[in-house]
Amino acid sequence: MEASVILPILKKKLAFLSGGKDRRSGLILTIPLCLEQTNMDELSVTLDYLLSIPSEKCKARGFTVIVDGRKSQWNVVKTVVLMLQNVVPAEVSLVCVVKPDEFWDKKVTHFCFWKEKDRLGFEVILVSANKLTRYIEPCQLTEDFGGSLTYDHMDWLNKRLVFEKFTKESTSLLDELALINNGSDKGSQQEKERSVDLNFLPSVDPETVLQTGHELLSELQQRRFNGSDGGVSWSPMDDELLAQPQVMKLLDSLREQYTRYQEVCRQRSKRTQLEEIQQKVMQVVNWLEGPGSEQLRAQWGIGDSIRASQALQQKHEEIESQHSEWFAVYVELNQQIAALLNAGDEEDLVELKSLQQQLSDVCYRQASQLEFRQNLLQAALEFHGVAQDLSQQLDGLLGMLCVDVAPADGASIQQTLKLLEEKLKSVDVGLQGLREKGQGLLDQISNQASWAYGKDVTIENKENVDHIQGVMEDMQLRKQRCEDMVDVRRLKMLQMVQLFKCEEDAAQAVEWLSELLDALLKTHIRLGDDAQETKVLLEKHRKFVDVAQSTYDYGRQLLQATVVLCQSLRCTSRSSGDTLPRLNRVWKQFTIASEERVHRLEMAIAFHSNAEKILQDCPEEPEAINDEEQFDEIEAVGKSLLDRLTVPVVYPDGTEQYFGSPSDMASTAEHIRDRMKLHHSVLRVHMKEVTAVCLKS
C-alpha cells in the first residue's frame, strides 16, 4: 500500500507513528480519537499502512498503542481497542487508553480490559494523560501527552510521499535498467534487438530519480528518523526502519545500474550512430553510383557550337549542384567517421575504416568524373570559341578578297596589301590556336577510358573526334582557299602598285622633259662671243638634247609597261589617254626648240668663223681684202642671224615661244651688231692701208 493512494485518509491523522519508543524499545502507535465519529474502515486502512512501515525486527518487539479517548466516547474507544485485536493482535504489547479525568468511571465497571487480556492478546490499561509517564518516558511522548517529542504529521506525510515515490521509482527503474542491461548482454542478436525495441528508454529519468534520492538521503542524514537530533520536526522511523540504509542501498544500486545503462546507451548510441552512418553511406554510394552516374552517362557530347557547349555546361552545372548536396553529406559523414575512429574502439575500427574507404573511393571517383566532364566542356567551349573567331576572320578575309580593288594610288594599295597580309597572318595564328585547342581536346577525349562513366564510350568519342577533326579540316580548307585568293590578289595588287609607279614615273618624265624645254627656252640664249665659245655651247646643247632624249625614251618605256600591266589587270590606264600625248607633245616642242637652237648656234659659228678668218688674214695678205664678197657674206650671215633671233619658235599646235626674254634677245642681237660694226671698222682701216700701199708702189 502506498501513501499516495490513501493520501486523503492519512491527512486526517487517524493514527500515527511519532517515532517514540516504550521501555522495551517497541514503537509507539498513537490513535488520537476526536469528537466526531471515527470511520473504522479508514482507521483500519491507516493502521494497516502504518504497521507496514516498520521492519520485521521492529514488529517483533511489539507496539505500544496509545488510544487518546479524551475527546471521544467510550463505545468508540472500545470499538477501536477491539479492532486492534483483528488488525495487529500479534504486534500489540500494550494498549494505553487515555481517559478523561472523570467521564468513564462508571462505564469501566461494565467492561474490564484486563480481564480480557487472554482473549485480546494484549494488555489494556486505562490511564490519564499525566500518568502515561509511568509506562513511557516523557521524551518518547508527544506534547499532547505532556512529553517533549516533537511530531509534525503533515511534514511526516510529505516526506513519506517523497520516500515512497523515490522507493517506487527507483525500484521500478532498477528493474527496467536491469532488464535493459541484461538484454544488452544477451548473446542472441534477435533477443538483443527485441530488448532494445521494448526497453531501450526507462519510464522515468534516471538523473531525476538519482537527484531525488540524493536530496532525500541528505534530508535523512540531517534529520534522522529516530529524532535523536534536536529540533527535528518529524521522525516516524529510525535506523531500524531501514529508511536511510534503504535509500543508500537503492542509490548504490541505481548508480551501478545507471552506469551500466549509460555504457549500454553509449554502446547502443554508437551502434545506432554507426548504423545511421552506414545507412547514409549506402545512400550516398547508391545515389552516386546510380542516378548520379546515370546523369553523367547521359551527358557525353561536347556540342557543335558555342551555344551548344554553353547549354551543356549549364546542364552540367545542374548535375554538379545535385552532386554538391551529396558531397556535403559525404563531408559530414567523413567527420563523423573520423570522430568515431578517434574514439579508438577496436571492435568498430575495421568496419569504420571500410565504410570510410568505400565512401571516399566512390566520392573521389565521382568528383573526378565531374571535374573531367567540366574540363572537357570548358575545352570544347574554348575550341568552338576559337573556331568561331577563326571563321569570322576567314569570312572577313574572304569578303575583303571578293571586293574588287579600286585604289586611288599606290600608297592605298600598299596599305590594303599590308592589311591583307595582317589578316592572313591573323588567320594563320587563329588556325594554329585552333589546332592546339583541338589537339588538347582530342587528348582529353582519348584519355576518357571506359571507367569514366561506367560504360564503353568509344562510339560517343568517335562522334566527338569526327566533329573536332571535321572542324579543323574545314577551317584548313577555307584558309587554303583564302591563301590562294590572297596570292592572286597580292600579285594583282603588286601589279597595280607597279602600274601606279609606272604612271607616276611617266608623269614625272613628262615633267622633267617640260622642265628641260623650259630651261632650253629660258636659259639657253647665249650664242657665244667667238667661234670657239659657240662650238662649246653647241656641244653642251647636244648633251642637253641627249638627256632630254633619254628622259623621253624612259617615259615611253614606262608608258609601254603600263599598257602591258593594264592588259594583265584588264583595266584602262589613264596614261594612254593623257600622259602619252603630253609626253609626245612636250617632246615635239622640245625637238623644234632644240633644232632652232642648233640652227642659231651653227649660224653663230659661221658668222664668228668668217669674221675671225678675215680679221686674221688682213695684216698678212692685204690684197685678200680686195674681195668684197667675203665681207658681204659676213654681213649677210650676221643679218640672217639677227633676223633669226627675232623669229619665235612655232609649235605644231600654232603656239609661239621665244628664247629668253626680250631683253635677253636684245642683248644678244646688240652683241652681234657690235661684232658686225667691228668688222666694218677693221675693214675700212685695212682698206686704207692697202690703198696707201698701192699708191706708194
Side-chain angles (χ1 to χ4, degrees), residues 357-368:
Q357 187 64 39
Q358 181 184 12
L359 183 62
S360 298
D361 291 344
V362 174
C363 289
Y364 280 121
R365 183 169 61 251
Q366 199 74 359
S368 299

Side-chain angles (χ1 to χ4, degrees), residues 18 27 90 97 181 293 337 434 438 467 478 487 495 522 648 650:
S18 64
L27 296 176
V97 180
N181 295 336
S293 296
I337 293 174
L434 181 67
H467 168 69
R478 291 179 60 186
D487 292 339
Q495 288 178 341
K522 291 181 179 181
V650 180

Side-chain angles (χ1 to χ4, degrees), residues 639-680:
K639 289 180 179 181
S640 298
L641 183 57
L642 289 174
D643 293 339
R644 194 99 183 189
L645 291 176
T646 60
V647 176
V649 178
V650 180
Y651 296 143
D653 58 358
T655 59
E656 298 178 352
Q657 186 68 42
Y658 290 92
F659 280 93
S661 62
S663 60
D664 294 334
M665 295 300 297
S667 176
T668 303
E670 185 64 26
H671 178 70
I672 294 173
R673 289 189 186 97
D674 290 341
R675 294 290 294 179
M676 291 177 66
K677 290 178 180 180
L678 177 61
H679 294 159
H680 285 293

Side-chain angles (χ1 to χ4, degrees), residues 182-193:
N182 293 335
S184 64
D185 296 335
K186 292 179 180 180
S188 172
Q189 182 67 23
Q190 183 178 1
E191 293 179 358
K192 180 177 179 180
E193 293 178 356

Side-chain angles (χ1 to χ4, degrees), residues 26-79:
L27 296 176
I28 297 175
L29 175 63
T30 303
I31 303 176
L33 300 177
C34 56
L35 294 175
E36 292 81 6
Q37 184 67 31
T38 302
N39 189 320
M40 293 303 162
D41 293 334
E42 292 180 351
L43 179 58
S44 176
V45 171
T46 302
L47 292 175
D48 289 340
Y49 175 73
L50 293 176
L51 293 175
S52 66
I53 294 175
S55 64
E56 296 299 327
K57 184 178 180 181
C58 291
K59 292 178 182 180
R61 296 179 188 148
F63 290 89
T64 293
V65 182
I66 299 177
V67 181
D68 188 0
R70 291 177 293 179
K71 298 179 181 181
S72 183
Q73 300 177 1
W74 167 247
N75 58 344
V76 176
V77 173
K78 183 176 65 173
T79 302

Side-chain angles (χ1 to χ4, degrees), residues 531-665:
Q532 183 63 33
E533 183 180 359
T534 304
K535 291 179 180 179
V536 171
L537 290 175
L538 181 60
E539 184 64 27
K540 289 182 178 180
H541 175 72
R542 287 171 178 168
K543 292 180 179 179
F544 183 76
V545 172
D546 291 340
V547 172
Q549 180 69 49
S550 299
T551 303
Y552 172 72
D553 294 341
Y554 175 67
R556 292 283 297 184
Q557 292 174 0
L558 290 174
L559 291 175
Q560 290 176 358
T562 59
V563 173
V564 175
L565 289 173
C566 286
Q567 292 175 352
S568 175
L569 294 172
R570 297 179 181 179
C571 66
T572 302
S573 172
R574 294 170 299 179
S575 300
S576 59
D578 183 14
T579 307
L580 182 59
R582 285 176 54 218
L583 178 65
N584 291 330
R585 183 175 65 252
V586 173
W587 175 246
K588 186 64 175 177
Q589 292 174 351
F590 183 87
T591 302
I592 295 173
S594 176
E595 290 177 353
E596 179 63 24
R597 173 67 174 170
V598 170
H599 288 319
R600 293 183 181 188
L601 289 173
E602 289 178 347
M603 291 178 67
I605 291 172
F607 172 74
H608 288 301
S609 297
N610 291 331
E612 290 174 359
K613 182 178 180 182
I614 292 174
L615 291 175
Q616 290 174 359
D617 293 341
C618 281
E620 298 175 358
E621 299 178 1
E623 66 279 1
I625 61 175
N626 292 325
D627 190 359
E628 294 182 0
E629 293 180 0
Q630 293 181 352
F631 288 100
D632 293 337
E633 182 179 355
I634 295 172
E635 186 73 18
V637 172
K639 289 180 179 181
S640 298
L641 183 57
L642 289 174
D643 293 339
R644 194 99 183 189
L645 291 176
T646 60
V647 176
V649 178
V650 180
Y651 296 143
D653 58 358
T655 59
E656 298 178 352
Q657 186 68 42
Y658 290 92
F659 280 93
S661 62
S663 60
D664 294 334
M665 295 300 297

